[in-house]
Amino acid sequence: MVDPTSTLGRAIRARREELHLSTDDAAVRARIPETSWRLIEQGQQAPSDLMLGAICRALEWTPATIDNLLRNEIHVNPDGEMVVDLDASERAAAPPQPELTLDVRGLTSAQLREVQGYIDYLRERFS
């Protein structure tokens, strides 16, 4: 089984090197101690959510990048390149969406027509 902390650390290092940043420069950008940055890169320390946000900003990543790394949808190959695993992306099923209901009690006929008109507009626009 792949250790997510190690995977994340390798990806962070690869991105830092891609940006031509030293560990000190990256840590300063993220406003975290350099020793913490090094431990995270080495896979010896799991970063907190707050640290992950700081790392994202320092590496010019979106939070989705971290999520994809942790779900193994993105990995770092032996050459240090980040690779998207399309099979993993397809396997990751979207969580079931709750059924939306509309409470129409107390609405007048005119309000109901307005709501229905808006629903029809949305269906047409996003179909």
Side-chain angles (χ1 to χ4, degrees):
M1 181 165 179
V2 178
D3 175 23
T5 303
S6 177
T7 301
L8 184 60
R10 286 194 313 277
I12 288 170
R13 180 178 182 176
R15 177 63 175 159
R16 175 183 57 78
E17 290 174 348
E18 180 182 11
L19 294 173
H20 306 288
L21 296 171
S22 68
T23 53
D24 188 50
D25 291 338
V28 167
R29 271 183 158 193
R31 297 185 180 129
I32 64 174
E34 185 193 12
T35 52
S36 293
W37 188 283
R38 286 184 187 277
L39 291 171
I40 291 166
E41 271 193 14
Q42 294 166 1
Q44 296 177 3
Q45 177 180 329
S48 68
D49 289 342
L50 191 59
M51 277 189 168
L52 282 176
I55 290 168
C56 283
R57 285 188 303 279
L59 298 179
E60 301 168 8
W61 275 347
T62 66
T65 305
I66 297 289
D67 291 339
N68 292 337
L69 283 164
L70 295 175
R71 287 193 308 261
N72 291 320
E73 293 174 9
I74 299 176
H75 65 274
V76 180
N77 70 14
D79 296 326
E81 298 171 329
M82 290 185 69
V83 179
V84 176
D85 182 352
L86 296 176
D87 292 333
S89 298
E90 291 172 5
R91 284 191 306 268
Q97 296 295 319
E99 187 173 325
L100 299 176
T101 59
L102 178 63
D103 184 1
V104 295
R105 289 175 289 183
L107 295 181
T108 65
S109 296
Q111 290 170 324
L112 285 172
R113 282 192 300 276
E114 187 177 333
V115 169
Q116 187 61 53
Y118 187 65
I119 291 170
D120 293 342
Y121 163 78
L122 291 174
R123 282 186 179 143
E124 187 176 302
R125 179 171 175 147
F126 296 105
S127 298

